[in-house]
Amino acid sequence: MGKPVREYLLTLCITAAVTYLLTGPVRKFAIVAGAMPEIRARDVHREPTPRLGGIAMFFGLCAGLLVADHLKNLNAVFSNSNEPRALLSGAALIWLIGVLDDKFEIDALIKLGGQMIAAGVMVVQGLTILWLPIPGVGLVALTQWQGTLLTVALVVITINAVNFVDGLDGLAAGMVCIASAAFFLYAYRIWYSYGIEAAAPATLFAAILMGMCLGFLPHNMHPARIFMGDSGSMLIGLVLAAGAISITGQIDPDAMNLFSGSERNTVHQTVPVYIPLLLPLTIIAVPAADLVLAIVRRTWRGQSPFAADRGHLHHRLLEVGHSHSRAVLIMYFWSALIAFGALAFSVNSASMWIVLGIAALSAVGLVLLLLPRFTPRAPQWAERLVPPRYRRRRGASSAAAEAGQEVTHGTAEADEPDEAREHRAPVVAGVSGVNGATAIGPRSRFLDGRNAGSSR
């Protein structure tokens, strides 16, 4: 097999184009079908928005696999491996479950059972973990039951992690696109640099997944015209998990011949290379962290782990005072930092510059997270050059100070009637016009809605 860079790019573009072109008709179909649930207490959007975006994404997946099967250099992936067919079978099943949920709101336990069945379908067709490189132990071969259980657990965790993070416009699609880009570079490096053609299916899956997300994002960016729904979030989670399973548990690390010596030493030395894909939790670290925190939070309150709330990471970013778009970009930043940081570490784990770069970018990310807590004010001479929210408010406060009246937040409360003063809502972070936040209402709305039911 040649090195099909152009074939991968063509497959990506075809997948993105099909997904993009079908999303518009799918949106009209979702409106006609009534897949437009009412606004719930935990929702961020203000108007009913159709779901079922996963329909377009699924047909984009089918188009990508069909095109790849007819390309000269990628056809060998289908002839030498049954993994693409296994992926398509599992994806079709999880997609059908998601479509039913988007329309009829099926029970969470039924969805969990469907996820396990979809993973089992892929295992039966050969997409399973066969062995794992364990530090200090060597290459550990798994029994059939061990491989099946680990594969099913990995698929279910990844699907639900992506589903949990799908709470803001463009968030899940963008984060998975970032993760799949890092995944593609990693898988292609293993195949191209070490000549291991068993990594070709995972590389193909990553390219198709990027196309699905890129084709859907223009319709899903804030303000979103359509949501991917569970039919889309569970689908892209399954594709991401399938790629990780394909390259992690079926490629012998000793075949890479990175180091001489015994097999145990070889595997021990190559562990930094396999850390990013031993489990996809490092590639999707942010959604996985959100999943773990949600389970702990709900269990601590005596609730079911599947009970919905408004305490996800993206909700907390809005509560801090970030706007909708800025909260999404911050989540993108952290996803890219973790995914590509792990990728860089797998290339050269001994480089101190990589560690220092990750540490510096992490500090930048922390500053961005805390930015709404600080409201910098520009000096008087530069006020005309900055947005109004960074200018000093002097008009009403100076007039009130000269009159000897009490001033609060730059407004003269003494001039207000008592009745108006009692009913005047306090201005807090997260209100439109404060610190640039425009996506949510007062913080009290967040606190009241935190216990509201949701599926995300």
Coordinates of all heavy atoms in Angstrom, one line a residue, residues 327-407:
A327 N -16.8 30.6 26.1 CA -16.8 29.4 26.8 C -16.4 28.2 25.9 O -15.6 27.3 26.2 CB -18.1 29.1 27.5
V328 N -17.0 28.2 24.7 CA -16.7 27.2 23.7 C -15.2 27.2 23.3 O -14.5 26.2 23.2 CB -17.6 27.3 22.5 CG1 -17.1 26.4 21.3 CG2 -19.0 27.0 22.8
L329 N -14.7 28.4 23.0 CA -13.3 28.6 22.6 C -12.3 28.1 23.7 O -11.3 27.5 23.5 CB -13.0 30.0 22.2 CG -13.7 30.5 20.9 CD1 -13.4 32.0 20.7 CD2 -13.2 29.7 19.7
I330 N -12.7 28.4 25.0 CA -11.8 27.9 26.1 C -11.8 26.4 26.2 O -10.7 25.8 26.4 CB -12.3 28.6 27.4 CG1 -12.0 30.1 27.4 CG2 -11.7 27.9 28.6 CD1 -12.6 30.8 28.7
M331 N -12.9 25.8 26.0 CA -13.0 24.3 26.0 C -12.2 23.8 24.8 O -11.5 22.7 24.9 CB -14.4 23.8 25.9 CG -15.3 24.2 27.1 SD -14.9 23.2 28.5 CE -15.8 21.8 28.2
Y332 N -12.2 24.4 23.6 CA -11.4 24.1 22.5 C -9.9 24.1 22.9 O -9.1 23.3 22.5 CB -11.6 25.0 21.3 CG -12.9 24.8 20.6 CD1 -13.3 25.6 19.5 CD2 -13.8 23.7 20.9 CE1 -14.5 25.4 18.8 CE2 -15.0 23.6 20.2 CZ -15.3 24.4 19.1 OH -16.5 24.2 18.4
F333 N -9.6 25.2 23.5 CA -8.2 25.5 23.9 C -7.6 24.3 24.8 O -6.6 23.8 24.5 CB -8.0 26.8 24.6 CG -6.6 27.1 25.2 CD1 -5.7 27.6 24.4 CD2 -6.3 26.7 26.5 CE1 -4.4 27.8 24.9 CE2 -5.1 27.0 27.0 CZ -4.1 27.5 26.2
W334 N -8.4 24.0 25.8 CA -7.9 22.9 26.7 C -7.9 21.5 26.0 O -7.0 20.7 26.3 CB -8.8 22.9 28.0 CG -8.5 23.9 28.9 CD1 -9.2 25.1 29.2 CD2 -7.4 23.9 29.8 NE1 -8.5 25.8 30.1 CE2 -7.4 25.1 30.6 CE3 -6.3 23.0 30.0 CZ2 -6.4 25.5 31.5 CZ3 -5.4 23.4 31.0 CH2 -5.4 24.6 31.7
S335 N -8.9 21.3 25.2 CA -8.9 20.0 24.4 C -7.6 19.9 23.5 O -7.0 18.9 23.5 CB -10.1 19.9 23.6 OG -11.3 19.9 24.4
A336 N -7.3 21.0 22.8 CA -6.2 21.0 21.9 C -4.9 20.9 22.7 O -3.9 20.2 22.3 CB -6.2 22.3 21.1
L337 N -4.8 21.6 23.9 CA -3.6 21.5 24.7 C -3.3 20.1 25.2 O -2.2 19.6 25.1 CB -3.7 22.5 25.9 CG -2.6 22.5 26.9 CD1 -1.3 22.9 26.2 CD2 -2.9 23.4 28.1
I338 N -4.4 19.4 25.7 CA -4.2 18.1 26.2 C -3.9 17.1 25.0 O -3.0 16.2 25.1 CB -5.4 17.6 27.0 CG1 -5.5 18.5 28.2 CG2 -5.3 16.2 27.4 CD1 -6.8 18.3 29.0
A339 N -4.7 17.2 24.0 CA -4.5 16.2 22.9 C -3.2 16.3 22.2 O -2.5 15.4 22.0 CB -5.7 16.4 21.9
F340 N -2.9 17.6 21.8 CA -1.6 17.7 21.0 C -0.4 17.7 22.0 O 0.7 17.4 21.5 CB -1.7 19.0 20.2 CG -2.5 19.0 19.0 CD1 -3.8 19.4 19.1 CD2 -2.1 18.4 17.8 CE1 -4.7 19.3 18.0 CE2 -2.9 18.3 16.7 CZ -4.2 18.8 16.8
G341 N -0.6 18.0 23.3 CA 0.5 17.9 24.2 C 0.8 16.4 24.4 O 2.0 16.0 24.4
A342 N -0.2 15.5 24.5 CA 0.1 14.1 24.5 C 0.7 13.6 23.3 O 1.6 12.7 23.3 CB -1.3 13.4 24.8
L343 N 0.3 14.1 22.1 CA 0.9 13.8 20.8 C 2.4 14.1 20.8 O 3.2 13.3 20.4 CB 0.1 14.4 19.7 CG 0.7 14.2 18.3 CD1 0.6 12.7 17.9 CD2 0.0 15.1 17.3
A344 N 2.7 15.4 21.2 CA 4.1 15.8 21.3 C 4.9 15.0 22.2 O 6.1 14.6 22.0 CB 4.2 17.3 21.6
F345 N 4.3 14.6 23.4 CA 5.0 13.8 24.3 C 5.3 12.4 23.8 O 6.3 11.8 24.1 CB 4.2 13.7 25.6 CG 4.9 12.9 26.7 CD1 5.9 13.5 27.4 CD2 4.5 11.6 27.0 CE1 6.6 12.8 28.4 CE2 5.1 10.9 28.0 CZ 6.1 11.5 28.7
S346 N 4.4 11.9 23.0 CA 4.6 10.5 22.4 C 5.7 10.6 21.3 O 6.4 9.5 21.1 CB 3.3 10.0 21.7 OG 3.0 10.8 20.6
V347 N 5.9 11.7 20.7 CA 7.0 11.8 19.7 C 8.3 11.9 20.4 O 9.3 11.2 20.0 CB 6.8 13.0 18.8 CG1 7.9 13.2 17.9 CG2 5.5 12.9 18.0
N348 N 8.4 12.7 21.4 CA 9.7 12.9 22.1 C 9.4 13.1 23.6 O 9.2 14.2 24.0 CB 10.5 14.0 21.6 CG 11.9 14.1 22.1 OD1 12.3 13.4 23.0 ND2 12.7 15.1 21.6
S349 N 9.4 12.0 24.4 CA 9.0 12.1 25.8 C 10.1 12.7 26.6 O 9.9 13.0 27.8 CB 8.6 10.8 26.3 OG 9.7 9.8 26.2
A350 N 11.4 12.8 26.1 CA 12.5 13.3 26.9 C 12.8 14.8 26.7 O 13.7 15.3 27.3 CB 13.8 12.5 26.5
S351 N 12.0 15.4 25.8 CA 12.2 16.9 25.6 C 11.7 17.7 26.7 O 10.5 17.7 27.0 CB 11.6 17.2 24.2 OG 11.7 18.6 24.0
M352 N 12.5 18.5 27.3 CA 12.1 19.4 28.4 C 11.3 20.6 27.8 O 10.4 21.2 28.5 CB 13.3 19.9 29.1 CG 13.0 20.8 30.3 SD 11.9 20.0 31.5 CE 13.0 18.7 32.1
W353 N 11.6 20.9 26.5 CA 10.9 22.1 25.9 C 9.4 21.8 25.8 O 8.5 22.6 25.9 CB 11.5 22.4 24.5 CG 12.8 23.0 24.6 CD1 14.0 22.4 24.3 CD2 13.1 24.3 25.0 NE1 15.1 23.3 24.5 CE2 14.5 24.5 25.0 CE3 12.4 25.4 25.5 CZ2 15.2 25.7 25.3 CZ3 13.0 26.6 25.8 CH2 14.4 26.7 25.7
I354 N 9.1 20.5 25.5 CA 7.6 20.1 25.4 C 6.9 20.3 26.7 O 5.8 20.8 26.8 CB 7.5 18.7 24.9 CG1 8.0 18.6 23.5 CG2 6.1 18.2 25.0 CD1 8.0 17.1 22.9
V355 N 7.6 19.9 27.8 CA 7.0 20.0 29.1 C 6.9 21.5 29.5 O 5.8 21.9 30.0 CB 7.9 19.3 30.2 CG1 7.3 19.5 31.6 CG2 8.0 17.8 29.8
L356 N 7.9 22.3 29.2 CA 7.8 23.7 29.5 C 6.7 24.4 28.7 O 6.0 25.3 29.2 CB 9.2 24.4 29.3 CG 10.3 23.9 30.2 CD1 11.6 24.6 29.8 CD2 9.9 24.3 31.7
G357 N 6.6 24.0 27.4 CA 5.6 24.6 26.6 C 4.2 24.3 27.1 O 3.3 25.1 27.1
I358 N 4.0 23.0 27.5 CA 2.6 22.6 28.0 C 2.3 23.4 29.3 O 1.2 23.8 29.5 CB 2.6 21.1 28.2 CG1 2.7 20.4 26.9 CG2 1.3 20.7 28.9 CD1 2.8 18.9 27.0
A359 N 3.4 23.5 30.1 CA 3.2 24.3 31.4 C 2.8 25.7 31.1 O 1.9 26.3 31.8 CB 4.4 24.2 32.3
A360 N 3.5 26.4 30.2 CA 3.2 27.8 29.9 C 1.8 27.9 29.3 O 1.1 28.8 29.7 CB 4.3 28.3 28.9
L361 N 1.4 27.0 28.4 CA 0.1 27.1 27.8 C -1.0 26.8 28.9 O -2.1 27.4 28.8 CB 0.0 26.2 26.6 CG 0.8 26.5 25.4 CD1 0.7 25.4 24.3 CD2 0.3 27.9 24.8
S362 N -0.7 26.0 29.8 CA -1.6 25.7 30.9 C -1.8 27.0 31.7 O -3.0 27.2 32.1 CB -1.1 24.6 31.8 OG -1.0 23.4 31.0
A363 N -0.8 27.7 32.0 CA -0.9 29.0 32.7 C -1.8 29.9 32.0 O -2.6 30.6 32.5 CB 0.5 29.5 33.0
V364 N -1.6 30.0 30.6 CA -2.4 30.9 29.8 C -3.9 30.5 29.9 O -4.8 31.3 30.0 CB -1.9 30.9 28.3 CG1 -2.9 31.6 27.4 CG2 -0.6 31.5 28.2
G365 N -4.1 29.1 29.9 CA -5.5 28.6 30.0 C -6.1 29.0 31.3 O -7.3 29.3 31.4
L366 N -5.4 29.0 32.4 CA -5.9 29.3 33.7 C -6.3 30.8 33.8 O -7.3 31.2 34.4 CB -4.9 29.0 34.8 CG -4.6 27.5 35.1 CD1 -3.5 27.3 36.1 CD2 -5.9 26.8 35.5
V367 N -5.4 31.6 33.1 CA -5.7 33.1 33.1 C -7.1 33.3 32.3 O -7.9 34.1 32.7 CB -4.6 33.8 32.4 CG1 -5.0 35.3 32.2 CG2 -3.4 33.8 33.3
L368 N -7.2 32.6 31.2 CA -8.4 32.7 30.4 C -9.7 32.3 31.2 O -10.7 32.9 31.1 CB -8.3 31.9 29.1 CG -7.3 32.4 28.1 CD1 -7.2 31.4 26.9 CD2 -7.6 33.8 27.6
L369 N -9.5 31.2 32.0 CA -10.6 30.7 32.8 C -11.1 31.7 33.8 O -12.3 31.9 34.1 CB -10.2 29.4 33.5 CG -10.1 28.2 32.7 CD1 -9.6 27.0 33.5 CD2 -11.5 27.8 32.1
L370 N -10.1 32.5 34.4 CA -10.4 33.4 35.5 C -10.7 34.8 35.0 O -10.9 35.7 35.8 CB -9.3 33.4 36.6 CG -9.0 32.0 37.2 CD1 -7.8 32.1 38.1 CD2 -10.2 31.6 38.0
L371 N -10.6 35.0 33.7 CA -10.7 36.4 33.2 C -11.9 37.1 33.6 O -11.8 38.3 34.0 CB -10.6 36.3 31.7 CG -10.4 37.7 31.0 CD1 -9.2 38.4 31.4 CD2 -10.4 37.5 29.4
P372 N -13.1 36.5 33.6 CA -14.3 37.3 34.0 C -14.3 37.7 35.5 O -15.1 38.6 35.9 CB -15.5 36.3 33.7 CG -14.9 35.4 32.7 CD -13.5 35.2 33.1
R373 N -13.5 37.1 36.3 CA -13.4 37.5 37.7 C -12.7 38.8 37.9 O -12.8 39.5 39.0 CB -12.7 36.4 38.5 CG -13.5 35.1 38.6 CD -14.8 35.3 39.3 NE -15.5 34.0 39.5 CZ -16.7 33.9 40.0 NH1 -17.4 34.9 40.3 NH2 -17.2 32.7 40.2
F374 N -12.0 39.2 36.9 CA -11.3 40.5 37.0 C -11.8 41.4 35.9 O -11.9 41.0 34.7 CB -9.8 40.3 36.8 CG -9.2 39.3 37.8 CD1 -9.0 38.0 37.4 CD2 -8.9 39.7 39.1 CE1 -8.5 37.1 38.3 CE2 -8.4 38.8 40.0 CZ -8.2 37.4 39.6
T375 N -12.1 42.6 36.2 CA -12.6 43.6 35.2 C -11.6 44.7 35.1 O -11.7 45.7 35.8 CB -14.0 44.2 35.6 OG1 -14.9 43.1 35.9 CG2 -14.6 45.0 34.5
P376 N -10.6 44.5 34.2 CA -9.6 45.6 34.0 C -10.2 46.9 33.5 O -11.1 46.8 32.6 CB -8.6 45.0 33.0 CG -9.4 44.0 32.3 CD -10.4 43.5 33.2
R377 N -9.7 48.0 33.9 CA -10.2 49.3 33.5 C -9.0 50.0 32.8 O -7.9 50.1 33.3 CB -10.7 50.1 34.6 CG -11.9 49.5 35.4 CD -13.1 49.3 34.4 NE -14.2 48.8 35.1 CZ -15.3 48.3 34.5 NH1 -15.4 48.4 33.2 NH2 -16.3 47.8 35.2
A378 N -9.3 50.5 31.6 CA -8.3 51.2 30.8 C -8.0 52.6 31.4 O -8.9 53.2 32.0 CB -8.7 51.3 29.3
P379 N -6.8 53.1 31.3 CA -6.6 54.5 31.7 C -7.4 55.5 30.9 O -7.9 55.1 29.8 CB -5.1 54.7 31.5 CG -4.7 53.6 30.5 CD -5.6 52.4 30.8
Q380 N -7.6 56.6 31.4 CA -8.5 57.6 30.8 C -8.0 58.0 29.4 O -8.9 58.1 28.5 CB -8.5 58.9 31.7 CG -9.5 60.0 31.2 CD -9.5 61.2 32.1 OE1 -8.8 61.2 33.1 NE2 -10.3 62.1 31.7
W381 N -6.7 58.0 29.1 CA -6.3 58.4 27.8 C -6.5 57.3 26.8 O -6.5 57.6 25.6 CB -4.8 58.8 27.8 CG -3.9 57.6 28.3 CD1 -3.5 57.4 29.6 CD2 -3.4 56.6 27.5 NE1 -2.8 56.2 29.7 CE2 -2.6 55.7 28.4 CE3 -3.4 56.3 26.1 CZ2 -1.9 54.6 27.9 CZ3 -2.7 55.2 25.7 CH2 -2.0 54.4 26.6
A382 N -6.8 56.1 27.2 CA -6.9 55.0 26.3 C -8.4 54.5 26.2 O -8.7 53.5 25.5 CB -6.0 53.8 26.6
E383 N -9.3 55.2 26.8 CA -10.7 54.7 26.9 C -11.3 54.6 25.5 O -12.2 53.8 25.3 CB -11.5 55.5 27.9 CG -11.2 55.3 29.3 CD -12.1 56.0 30.2 OE1 -12.9 56.8 29.7 OE2 -12.1 55.7 31.4
R384 N -11.0 55.5 24.6 CA -11.6 55.5 23.3 C -11.1 54.4 22.5 O -11.7 54.1 21.4 CB -11.3 56.8 22.6 CG -11.9 58.1 23.3 CD -11.6 59.3 22.5 NE -12.2 60.5 23.1 CZ -12.1 61.7 22.6 NH1 -11.4 61.9 21.4 NH2 -12.7 62.7 23.2
L385 N -10.1 53.7 22.9 CA -9.5 52.6 22.1 C -10.0 51.2 22.5 O -9.7 50.2 21.9 CB -8.0 52.6 22.2 CG -7.3 53.9 21.7 CD1 -5.8 53.8 21.9 CD2 -7.7 54.3 20.3
V386 N -10.8 51.1 23.6 CA -11.2 49.8 24.2 C -12.7 49.8 24.1 O -13.4 50.8 24.0 CB -10.7 49.6 25.6 CG1 -9.1 49.6 25.6 CG2 -11.2 50.7 26.5
P387 N -13.3 48.6 24.2 CA -14.8 48.4 24.3 C -15.3 49.1 25.5 O -14.7 49.4 26.5 CB -15.0 46.9 24.4 CG -13.7 46.3 23.8 CD -12.6 47.3 24.2
P388 N -16.6 49.5 25.4 CA -17.3 50.3 26.5 C -17.2 49.6 27.9 O -17.1 50.2 28.9 CB -18.7 50.4 26.1 CG -18.6 50.3 24.6 CD -17.5 49.3 24.3
R389 N -17.2 48.2 27.9 CA -17.2 47.6 29.2 C -15.9 47.7 30.0 O -15.9 47.4 31.2 CB -17.5 46.1 29.1 CG -16.5 45.3 28.2 CD -16.9 43.8 28.2 NE -16.0 43.0 27.4 CZ -16.1 42.8 26.1 NH1 -17.2 43.3 25.5 NH2 -15.3 42.0 25.5
Y390 N -14.8 48.2 29.3 CA -13.6 48.4 30.0 C -13.3 49.9 30.3 O -12.2 50.2 30.8 CB -12.4 47.9 29.1 CG -12.5 46.4 28.9 CD1 -12.6 45.9 27.6 CD2 -12.4 45.5 30.0 CE1 -12.6 44.5 27.4 CE2 -12.5 44.1 29.8 CZ -12.6 43.6 28.5 OH -12.6 42.3 28.3
R391 N -14.3 50.7 30.1 CA -14.2 52.1 30.4 C -14.7 52.4 31.8 O -15.6 51.7 32.4 CB -15.0 53.0 29.4 CG -14.5 52.8 28.0 CD -15.4 53.5 27.0 NE -15.0 53.2 25.6 CZ -15.7 53.6 24.6 NH1 -16.8 54.3 24.7 NH2 -15.3 53.3 23.3
R392 N -14.2 53.4 32.4 CA -14.6 53.8 33.8 C -15.9 54.5 33.7 O -16.1 55.3 32.9 CB -13.5 54.7 34.4 CG -12.2 54.0 34.6 CD -11.2 55.0 35.2 NE -9.8 54.4 35.2 CZ -9.4 53.6 36.2 NH1 -10.2 53.4 37.2 NH2 -8.2 53.1 36.2
R393 N -16.8 54.1 34.6 CA -18.1 54.8 34.7 C -18.0 55.9 35.8 O -17.9 55.6 37.0 CB -19.2 53.7 35.1 CG -19.2 52.6 34.2 CD -20.2 51.5 34.7 NE -20.2 50.4 33.8 CZ -20.9 49.3 34.0 NH1 -21.6 49.2 35.1 NH2 -20.9 48.3 33.1
R394 N -18.1 57.1 35.3 CA -17.9 58.2 36.2 C -19.1 59.2 36.3 O -19.2 59.9 37.2 CB -16.7 59.1 35.8 CG -15.4 58.3 35.8 CD -14.2 59.2 35.4 NE -14.4 59.9 34.2 CZ -14.1 59.4 33.0 NH1 -13.7 58.2 32.9 NH2 -14.4 60.1 31.9
G395 N -20.0 59.1 35.3 CA -21.1 60.1 35.2 C -22.0 60.2 36.4 O -22.0 61.1 37.2
A396 N -22.7 59.1 36.6 CA -23.7 59.0 37.7 C -23.0 59.0 39.0 O -23.5 59.6 40.0 CB -24.6 57.8 37.5
S397 N -21.9 58.3 39.1 CA -21.3 58.2 40.4 C -20.7 59.5 40.9 O -20.7 59.8 42.1 CB -20.2 57.1 40.4 OG -19.2 57.4 39.4
S398 N -20.1 60.3 40.0 CA -19.5 61.5 40.4 C -20.6 62.5 40.8 O -20.4 63.3 41.8 CB -18.7 62.1 39.3 OG -19.5 62.3 38.1
A399 N -21.7 62.5 40.1 CA -22.8 63.4 40.4 C -23.4 63.0 41.8 O -23.7 63.9 42.6 CB -23.9 63.3 39.4
A400 N -23.5 61.7 42.1 CA -24.0 61.3 43.3 C -23.1 61.6 44.5 O -23.5 62.0 45.6 CB -24.3 59.8 43.3
A401 N -21.8 61.5 44.2 CA -20.8 61.8 45.2 C -20.8 63.2 45.6 O -20.7 63.6 46.8 CB -19.4 61.4 44.8
E402 N -20.9 64.1 44.6 CA -21.0 65.5 44.9 C -22.2 65.9 45.7 O -22.2 66.8 46.6 CB -21.0 66.3 43.6 CG -19.7 66.2 42.9 CD -19.7 66.9 41.5 OE1 -20.8 67.5 41.2 OE2 -18.7 67.0 40.8
A403 N -23.3 65.2 45.6 CA -24.5 65.5 46.3 C -24.5 64.8 47.7 O -25.5 64.9 48.4 CB -25.7 65.0 45.5
G404 N -23.5 64.0 47.9 CA -23.4 63.3 49.2 C -24.3 62.1 49.3 O -24.6 61.7 50.4
Q405 N -24.6 61.5 48.2 CA -25.5 60.4 48.2 C -24.7 59.1 48.1 O -23.6 59.1 47.6 CB -26.5 60.4 47.0 CG -27.4 61.7 47.1 CD -28.2 61.8 45.8 OE1 -27.9 61.2 44.8 NE2 -29.3 62.6 45.9
E406 N -25.4 58.0 48.6 CA -24.7 56.7 48.5 C -24.7 56.2 47.1 O -25.6 56.3 46.4 CB -25.5 55.7 49.4 CG -24.8 54.3 49.4 CD -25.6 53.3 50.3 OE1 -26.7 53.8 50.8 OE2 -25.2 52.2 50.4
V407 N -23.5 55.6 46.7 CA -23.3 55.1 45.3 C -23.0 53.6 45.4 O -22.3 53.2 46.2 CB -22.2 55.9 44.7 CG1 -22.0 55.3 43.3 CG2 -22.5 57.3 44.6

